[in-house]
Amino acid sequence: MGGWVRGGLIAVLLAWLLFTTALLSVPGSDGFRGAEARFVPASGAAARVVLDAGPEGGTPLVASVEHTLFTGLQIAGEVPTPMLTAIRPPEGVPRGELRWWRQTVTPDSMTSGQRMTVRTIVPTGVLLAAHTGPAGVAFQPALLELPADVAPGSQWSSAGVARDVFGSTDYRHAGEAHLPADPALGERGCLAVRSTTTLRDTHTDEAVWCPGQGIVQGAAPLGPDVAPLGDRAWPQTLRTIPTPDWPIGPPRTTPTTPTLLEDDPVFGTAPAVGPVPRLKSVTADDTLVTVDINSSTLIGWSPRGDQLAAAWWAHPGGTVLSLTAFDDRVLVTTSDRRIVAYASNGRRLWSHITPDLAPGGMTALGADRVVVATVSGDLDAYRLDTGDRLWRTTFPAGTDRAVVVLDDLVLVRTKDDALAAFGADGDERWHSEELLDAVGIARSGDVLLLVSRTGETLRVDAGTGRVVAASVIGFGSAHTRLVTGPQSAALVSEDGVRIVTADTARELAFVPGGTAVTATGQDWRVLTPGALLTLDARGVEIGRRTLTAPVAAGAAMILTGPVPAGDTRPLLWVLGPGGVTWVR
């Protein structure tokens, strides 16, 4: 045998040895074990990519990619309903044991839609079930994208029926694997995969798969073509959207309860299947963001007439503990000890690992910063636009509540009901001893007002933390929330809403049956079952809108800009435990 032949065989054998060594050393993703899952990313993994403009030309798009893993019947809350109806679960696997992998590709461009790919992991390998978007397609049965025992030289095929924008047709698919052109990728156990898929036409796609990362370059069969972006920064944009002035308006108005809608250009339109949001927030440009009770997927909903249409899906990793909107972005904290920021169109902006859990969530610190506290006593401040950490300090006992920011004072209510105060730059001001379990804190000048659920009040010197007076307000009522306004405070109770002075805790007005309150400019808006009242800072009624339909008790009211197009009236969102209501 010639030397060049022996040399070629040795090279092949060395390449095989490198690949199999990497294969054996790479564990499956969290929750998904086995050789068939070795290329599957961890749930919550994210990356920045460039989307190829395709043969028609155009400018390549920068995008963010997120991966989500879930099992069994959880798929009903993790993918759009129209897409769900087009997916056929694989045969031979009990429904409760199905392993699903969802990938979302979200372009930075506000005008380019999100693409979603759903796969299922079975003992035979990775099956491609469907893509969404204008070029979406569903495969029945799911296409074998990557066999469990795939290795350089492997070949495989599958066939069935595909459904795309033109209807249904037969599909045939063939795949083959070989070592990547870059030897460094081969040493990591990566594989180059060539896919040939025939529907009405034949398409050839090339992709590089790496253990624990999925496709790092190239395209899945009929999927978006991606390339790694390297060290390029995540997008950094910040819009400050002013809160509109809301006139007292017409004497009568009809509340609207929008229906939740999911649609797709290929799979059609359907009402959302049974979403029960446990977390809700609204951005300043009228995107409702929800997290369902049995899910940790964020869904962004955009107003469309009297409906809310699902516009994007995102998964930051772990269980979402808190959800807060700031202008045109949304920040979440998770059980993976992460803070993740999204734009209102669903693109992922930045993320950080926190020292511990932060179930209280984020609080605005001025217009361009946010602050968060952990259960072990860390207090961090970040830039809202870039995610850069500005400072970190610590406090005793830790907290599971949101930080309170009043003017230049950052206040942390600790687990032992003490109060720690810091300046806007993280400098420690003072630390109180045990005070009371307050439902909120308000400020008037140099005085802080704390109110407990049972109505006990403490007035605290804002400069020293010393208690200067104590009293009781709303005796016999259960209080749930204290809201700070420009010149007074509002106390939400089980029997109504009280407008009180923050410096003396004196009751100025009481609205029986009031269920929610928000400050708008110098005034208060108070919601009752039959009317929306406007009160001035002293609690005097200066306007009333009779509601021609009842509104369920709301946990929060948020005032945003006008929607839909053509309606110039600002929109009041009422976010209650039973759903969402609009009042114009």
Side-chain angles (χ1 to χ4, degrees):
M1 183 180 292
W4 66 271
V5 176
R6 287 194 300 269
L9 287 174
I10 290 171
V12 171
L13 288 172
L14 284 174
W16 173 262
L17 181 61
L18 286 171
F19 176 80
T20 52
T21 301
L23 184 156
L24 292 172
S25 64
V26 175
S29 302
D30 290 345
F32 289 1
R33 299 291 175 180
E36 68 274 17
R38 68 183 184 275
F39 289 95
V40 179
S43 193
R48 294 283 284 153
V49 299
V50 175
L51 296 178
D52 186 13
E56 69 278 3
T59 303
L61 298 173
V62 178
S64 57
V65 177
E66 288 187 334
H67 302 277
T68 314
L69 307 182
F70 46 93
T71 58
L73 300 180
Q74 285 180 319
I75 189 173
E78 299 288 351
V79 303
T81 302
M83 185 185 197
L84 180 63
T85 62
I87 293 176
R88 179 188 298 173
E91 299 292 338
V93 181
R95 299 296 175 89
E97 298 177 12
L98 289 170
R99 297 180 294 173
W100 301 98
W101 167 19
R102 187 189 73 213
Q103 172 188 298
T104 52
V105 179
T106 308
D108 290 357
S109 169
M110 299 291 284
T111 59
S112 301
Q114 186 180 72
R115 293 285 303 272
M116 181 185 295
T117 298
V118 174
R119 300 174 171 93
T120 183
I121 316 303
V122 298
T124 55
V126 177
L127 306 182
L128 174 59
H131 301 293
T132 63
V137 59
F139 299 99
Q140 297 182 353
L143 178 154
L144 178 59
E145 189 173 6
L146 206 65
D149 58 354
V150 65
S154 296
Q155 295 183 346
W156 62 94
S157 63
S158 54
V161 176
R163 174 182 168 188
D164 62 10
V165 70
F166 302 106
S168 296
T169 186
D170 292 341
Y171 83 83
R172 298 189 310 277
H173 172 262
E176 57 179 314
H178 51 87
L179 287 172
D182 184 349
L185 292 175
E187 292 174 3
R188 290 165 46 195
C190 301
L191 277 177
V193 175
R194 180 182 178 89
S195 298
T196 303
T197 310
T198 301
L199 274 65
R200 296 169 185 84
D201 301 307
T202 298
H203 304 265
T204 299
D205 297 292
E206 301 270 357
V208 175
W209 288 74
C210 288
Q213 293 181 271
I215 293 177
V216 298
Q217 185 166 353
L222 307 184
D225 196 329
V226 303
L229 196 56
D231 295 331
R232 178 169 170 176
W234 291 79
Q236 300 169 1
T237 58
L238 177 63
R239 291 186 295 161
T240 299
I241 304 174
T243 299
D245 292 330
W246 199 24
I248 294 174
R252 299 175 65 83
T253 189
T254 300
T256 302
T257 301
T259 56
L260 300 182
L261 180 72
E262 297 172 349
D263 59 6
D264 183 90
V266 174
F267 306 123
T269 300
V273 175
V276 183
R278 62 181 173 89
L279 298 173
K280 298 184 287 287
S281 195
V282 180
T283 65
D285 53 0
D286 287 304
T287 298
L288 171 69
V289 183
T290 63
V291 178
D292 279 2
I293 194 167
N294 292 320
S295 171
S296 277
T297 289
L298 280 68
I299 305 178
W301 307 84
S302 296
R304 185 188 298 172
D306 289 340
Q307 298 174 323
L308 280 166
W312 53 265
W313 305 62
H315 180 61
T319 299
V320 177
L321 303 179
S322 71
L323 167 66
T324 314
F326 302 92
D327 283 333
D328 68 334
R329 62 191 53 207
V330 176
L331 270 65
V332 299
T333 61
T334 77
S335 62
D336 284 356
R337 302 183 181 185
R338 293 180 186 172
I339 303 169
V340 185
Y342 293 90
S344 58
N345 76 329
R347 70 187 189 273
R348 186 165 173 145
L349 300 177
W350 53 264
S351 64
H352 280 289
I353 300 295
T354 56
D356 210 331
L357 300 178
M362 313 296 290
T363 301
L365 180 58
D368 58 356
R369 295 175 292 171
V370 289
V371 65
V372 63
T374 71
V375 295
S376 56
D378 302 282
L379 180 64
D380 292 350
Y382 298 89
R383 279 187 56 170
L384 181 56
D385 56 351
T386 65
D388 293 339
R389 196 179 76 196
L390 300 173
W391 50 261
R392 169 175 289 170
T393 188
T394 59
F395 58 93
T399 187
D400 57 2
R401 309 187 203 186
V403 176
V404 177
V405 176
L406 299 173
D407 300 328
D408 63 340
L409 206 58
V410 179
L411 300 165
V412 181
R413 292 169 290 175
T414 66
K415 288 184 286 188
D416 58 1
D417 294 331
L419 193 63
F422 301 86
D425 293 326
D427 54 303
E428 185 174 359
R429 299 288 180 84
W430 46 264
H431 182 273
S432 75
E433 297 300 325
E434 181 175 338
L435 294 177
L436 51 78
D437 185 10
V439 297
I441 306 174
R443 181 174 183 175
S444 177
D446 294 330
V447 177
L448 301 177
L449 174 65
L450 286 72
V451 182
S452 75
R453 181 173 175 80
T454 56
E456 301 167 271
T457 72
L458 291 180
R459 278 166 280 163
V460 177
D461 187 297
T464 65
R466 183 175 59 88
V467 175
V468 297
S471 61
V472 175
I473 192 169
F475 180 75
S477 298
H479 309 297
T480 58
R481 187 171 173 231
L482 182 66
V483 183
T484 297
Q487 301 178 41
S488 53
L491 181 62
V492 181
S493 311
E494 63 178 6
D495 56 351
V497 172
R498 292 169 170 81
I499 307 300
V500 301
T501 60
D503 54 350
T504 63
R506 180 169 60 90
E507 185 174 310
L508 299 173
F510 176 60
V511 180
T515 59
V517 63
T518 189
T520 59
Q522 300 297 311
D523 301 329
W524 294 100
R525 296 299 197 280
V526 180
L527 182 68
T528 70
L532 182 66
L533 309 182
T534 303
L535 311 181
D536 66 14
R538 300 166 298 163
V540 176
E541 183 177 322
I542 57 176
R544 174 184 291 259
R545 290 189 187 184
T546 299
L547 302 179
T548 57
V551 176
M557 292 196 296
I558 301 171
L559 181 65
T560 63
V563 291
D567 191 338
T568 59
R569 294 170 296 170
L571 184 65
L572 186 70
W573 295 72
V574 182
L575 306 183
V580 176
T581 302
W582 290 337
V583 179
R584 289 189 176 89

